[in-house]
Amino acid sequence: MHALSEQRELLLITVRGITDAQAAQRATASDLTLGGVVKHLTRGEQMWMQIMTTGNGKLPEGMLDMGQYRMADGDTLAGLLEQYVAAARTTAQAVSDLRDLDRSVPLPSTPWSPPETVHWSARRILLHLIRETAQHAGHADIVRESLDGSSTTDRR
């Protein structure tokens, strides 16, 4: 959990001090925005924890919703960050409640899934969250630098 917390902290440093307008602003060739990254990572933690804790192999509602990648009308960065922190707490509790990180759960079927059911251990799900958070924290750093020249390294 420490590695995931470190990656979350880097993301929070990256978005520190930006406005809602900046959080919604596209600053590179990509459609990624800082608010969109926060929203997607929040949704990702929520979905993966649902998959891990229920173990029923069902696709969580909204998992494939493309709206998770951008700020919607009415979204604020402060609100998205509150949701992100809440998702992190939920993840910490779910991991704390686990008896075995090697517990295997079926993954939901998605358009890119193989025809057979794939199983991942809780450990692999957590490693996936670490990788996903690190990757998107890096994306956010590039977007932030494109917005105002600031980088996470500068802001530490």
Side-chain angles (χ1 to χ4, degrees), residues 18-82:
I18 65 165
T19 65
D20 289 340
Q22 288 173 310
Q25 185 178 342
R26 194 175 144 235
T28 66
S30 169
D31 284 337
L32 286 176
T33 66
L34 294 174
V37 168
V38 172
K39 191 172 186 176
H40 168 62
L41 287 173
T42 301
R43 193 74 170 145
E45 284 208 35
Q46 292 167 336
M47 297 297 102
W48 281 107
M49 287 306 99
Q50 185 176 343
I51 291 165
M52 186 179 80
T53 59
T54 64
N56 63 13
K58 292 184 180 174
L59 187 69
E61 187 176 329
M63 187 169 181
L64 303 181
D65 177 11
M66 297 308 286
Q68 69 179 292
Y69 295 97
R70 53 191 172 276
M71 289 179 71
D73 290 341
D75 282 345
T76 64
L77 182 59
L80 293 175
L81 290 172
E82 284 178 25

Side-chain angles (χ1 to χ4, degrees), residues 101-112:
L101 285 176
D102 292 323
R103 175 179 180 253
S104 180
V105 297
L107 300 187
S109 179
T110 61
W112 54 86

